[in-house]
Amino acid sequence: MRVRSRNNVVLAGREDGPTVVLAHGFGCDQHMWRYITAELEQWARVVLFDHVGSGKADPTAWDADRYASLDGYADDVLSICQDLDLQQPIFVGHSVSSSIGVLAAKREPDRFAALVLVTPSPCYLDDGDYRGGFTRDDIDELLESLDSNYLGWSSSMAPVIMGNPERPELGEELTASFCRTDPAMAQVFARATFLSDNRADLAAVSVPTLILQCAQDAIAPPEVGAFVHAQIAGSRLVTLDATGHCPQLSAPEATAAAITSFIRAAYR
């Protein structure tokens, strides 16, 4: 199967600029980046794609065993880079795609020039002194609700993830995105997302890394960003004056500015 059709790969921007690969989070698709791509396309080559099981990716490529682990998604990222012959791209991953990017960079450390991790969480479960934001009971309840009534779960959970209750249109957009996802595929991706523990993989990151977190985030609290920062040597942590888990939608100007500043500094 052709990689570009499998993952609905879209290319935009300047071919003579650095390459930026944008990877969306759970329940989303590449459309979620639309508010910041206009800025990035002015000076970079932008690669957009949909994870298999999301957006307009080829549904016939879905394999429940392959995508039960974040490794399957990391394999796809590397195959996209190989198919496009990307030379030292900057990988920008939102939410769970931050961990997917870390896994890809760990597997091929010379592939990427830099990583940008937007509201990352290497582990959502609280564990001893580590605060991931959720207890095991919280996660079990979340997954049980998702399994039993996916549309209802989407309607109730999306506004929590998005935050910004004074801007209900943002929560409505995320709800609609969740509802467009096949429930069976979403259930598998949700387990891979919320039950993963990639904390030990962070120390293997050897490229310049920017960590973007929001000042208030119900899914990835500030302690998580601080943990990721501490584990990745030489990383830079920026806390956006933003609320929610999706700053590319709720605070696109600040998100684009932080990414642009980081990448331009790396390419001086």
Side-chain angles (χ1 to χ4, degrees):
M1 177 178 293
R2 288 180 56 83
V3 170
R4 299 188 196 194
S5 58
R6 181 193 67 192
N7 288 99
N8 186 33
V9 176
V10 175
L11 304 178
R14 297 171 57 108
E15 292 190 4
D16 60 344
T19 299
V20 180
V21 179
L22 298 173
H24 64 82
F26 168 78
C28 302
D29 58 30
Q30 61 182 262
H31 188 61
M32 295 292 178
W33 294 109
R34 68 190 184 279
Y35 293 132
I36 71 169
T37 52
E39 162 64 24
L40 299 181
E41 288 171 8
Q42 295 180 37
W43 54 269
R45 182 190 189 198
V46 177
V47 179
L48 294 156
F49 72 96
D50 295 329
H51 288 302
V52 173
S54 303
K56 295 181 180 179
D58 188 342
T60 67
W62 174 258
D63 181 285
D65 292 332
R66 174 180 174 83
Y67 295 110
S69 163
L70 297 186
D71 288 318
Y73 301 94
D75 286 342
D76 286 356
V77 168
L78 291 173
S79 69
I80 291 170
C81 292
Q82 292 159 5
D83 184 73
L84 297 176
D85 192 25
L86 301 184
Q87 304 299 320
Q88 292 283 287
I90 299 97
F91 179 89
V92 181
H94 171 233
S95 192
V96 68
S97 277
S98 294
S99 291
I100 292 169
V102 166
L103 290 172
K106 179 182 178 182
R107 194 167 306 163
E108 294 190 16
D110 296 328
R111 169 67 65 178
F112 301 96
L115 299 179
V116 177
L117 312 180
V118 182
T119 60
S121 181
C123 180
Y124 291 90
L125 284 167
D126 295 336
D127 180 25
D129 293 335
Y130 174 80
R131 185 190 171 206
F134 296 84
T135 66
R136 182 60 198 233
D137 286 344
D138 291 334
I139 296 294
D140 288 344
E141 182 179 347
L142 181 153
L143 294 175
E144 181 180 349
S145 174
L146 186 151
D147 289 346
S148 62
N149 182 4
Y150 178 67
L151 294 181
W153 177 88
S154 299
S155 297
S156 61
M157 193 65 183
V160 175
I161 294 172
M162 181 60 69
N164 297 276
E166 75 286 358
R167 300 166 66 188
E169 69 278 5
L170 296 178
E172 291 167 2
E173 176 172 346
L174 191 59
T175 299
S177 179
F178 281 3
C179 291
R180 287 194 300 270
T181 306
D182 181 279
M185 297 178 185
Q187 289 164 9
V188 172
F189 196 8
R191 280 175 165 73
T193 297
F194 290 106
L195 297 178
S196 63
D197 185 350
N198 298 106
R199 288 176 290 175
D201 298 305
L202 297 173
V205 175
S206 58
V207 298
T209 301
L210 171 65
I211 301 154
L212 289 181
Q213 67 179 10
C214 293
Q216 298 181 46
D217 185 345
I219 303 301
E223 293 89 340
V224 174
F227 177 87
V228 175
H229 176 46
Q231 296 299 307
I232 299 179
S235 62
R236 180 184 177 194
L237 174 64
V238 172
T239 300
L240 300 172
D241 184 17
T243 300
H245 194 58
C246 305
Q248 71 271 45
L249 289 178
S250 62
E253 295 86 1
T255 303
I259 294 172
T260 298
S261 175
F262 172 73
I263 295 176
R264 285 184 167 169
Y267 276 85
R268 282 177 182 169

